[in-house]
Amino acid sequence: MIDAGSTGSRLHVYRFRQCAADDPVQLKDEALFVQTIPGLSAYTPDLAGQSLDPLLQQALQAIPKNLRRKTPMAVRATAGLRLLGHEQSEKVLDAVYDHIHARYPFPIIGGRESGVTIMDGKDEGVYVWITVNFLLGHLKSKGAPTAAVFDLGGASTQIVFEPDRIDPKAMVEGDHQYTLTYDNHDYVLYQHSYLGYGLMEARKRMHQRILELADQVKPDLHVSHPCLPRNLEFSFPKNAPSPEATFIGQGLHDACTNIVKDILNKNAVCLAPPCSFDGIHQPLIAEAFAQGPIYIFSYFYDRTVPLGLPASFKLPELGRLTERVCMGEYFEQLPDGDLRDEMLDRPEWCLDLSFIYGLLSHGYEIPDDREIRMAKKIDGVETGWCLGAAIALLDEAGLEQDA
């Protein structure tokens, strides 16, 4: 399974055991996980397919020669290609399919039409939910609370959970309601994918909003920025020949959180209450998901764990860490020189943490007293949507005939 994300491409090779079509799928292991940057959206169509060669060459080494033509594969692009627009993204995917089909032995299930595609945002979130609950063993225990999942990519963020109760007060009808059938059991899920609210897109939104607010007061090339470290000078757009402005960092956690609330559009018209942000219906976590565990992934993990946030925490802990980073206290007390250098080389740590905190607390409205868990892997397997998508692919491939 190739995850063609907005910031990079990642290849997963899984080994399953399934002797008959009606047998439950058993995961033996994740035989290979490799990645490369940047993502497909950074390439012209003629180079997009070639960008996957380093990944596919390693797949050839990992999969025995006699099994290569029996090992199905698929390419699923996510929000990065969605943002390119239909015409350009289709050209990229056509080129990727042609390149893989001509050079590699792995059968692409569904051909170009369904084997090399842009994944719907709702499927992305649901596949993450399948992955996590499959690895945690929650799908084996019928009636047991399942885990809620919150994913943060570069261009989009997803939420999926199974409400504790399903009634009109918990969830109204609409695209956000997703019925998943797995192992002869129906799971009625709430899901939504917010395109444009991934971490990289949020950075752009926040910088742009601060410029707009400054111009409303007094147009100036030097603009105070609450979400950058104190006294830091930062040109925006970054590395442009003629920057629009130079941001002067203030390191103000509360003021930065207000910018996050602003871009989350919490005041948008809510046509189907209750709503989370941007006018999107969402059952309240405090009321509709009171029992199961909460898991967060991807950039939620990548931007907090290096700073010492534990794998299990509550939002006030994240808020305190964010404030320390924004005010500069974290840098002053940091004994790890390599981490200090990395943080100074990436001045948007304060902004990133403020967005993550604001998204979880004010956007999704996770209560302060709820435990939140992070995991890069569960039982040695990478979390994310790929395993869930691979399990779904097994049904299409009919692998039991080759067992």
Side-chain angles (χ1 to χ4, degrees), residues 94-113:
D94 285 341
V96 167
Y97 174 79
D98 290 342
H99 184 80
I100 296 175
H101 184 66
R103 295 174 179 265
Y104 295 95
F106 313 117
I108 300 175
I109 301 303
R112 164 65 180 90
E113 183 176 349

Side-chain angles (χ1 to χ4, degrees), residues 62 96 112 145 170 200 287 361 398:
V96 167
R112 164 65 180 90
M200 300 306 150
E287 297 178 2
S361 179

Side-chain angles (χ1 to χ4, degrees), residues 334-381:
L334 192 61
D336 188 334
D338 291 338
L339 179 56
R340 179 196 295 271
D341 292 342
E342 181 184 352
M343 291 187 69
L344 292 175
D345 189 51
R346 298 185 184 182
E348 288 164 309
W349 282 96
C350 170
L351 184 150
D352 291 349
L353 288 175
S354 296
F355 176 71
I356 287 171
Y357 172 79
L359 178 61
L360 294 173
S361 179
H362 305 291
Y364 289 129
E365 299 187 17
I366 297 176
D368 281 352
D369 62 353
R370 288 295 291 273
E371 181 184 22
I372 299 173
R373 305 174 189 180
M374 295 186 289
K376 193 76 170 178
K377 294 185 177 183
I378 298 176
D379 288 340
V381 179

Side-chain angles (χ1 to χ4, degrees), residues 245-319:
T246 297
F247 289 133
I248 309 298
Q250 294 177 301
L252 299 176
H253 171 56
D254 290 344
C256 185
T257 300
N258 287 335
I259 298 296
V260 176
K261 293 179 183 178
D262 190 2
I263 70 162
L264 288 175
N265 200 15
K266 289 288 288 185
N267 295 323
V269 175
C270 179
L271 297 178
C275 289
S276 53
F277 61 96
D278 209 22
I280 300 300
H281 168 72
Q282 177 199 303
L284 295 175
I285 297 295
E287 297 178 2
F289 190 74
Q291 299 180 12
I294 294 174
Y295 277 83
I296 63 177
F297 304 96
S298 303
Y299 275 122
F300 287 129
Y301 179 100
D302 296 338
R303 304 307 282 171
T304 58
V305 168
L307 304 185
L309 193 69
S312 177
F313 68 95
K314 296 179 181 178
L315 281 173
E317 294 176 67
L318 176 57

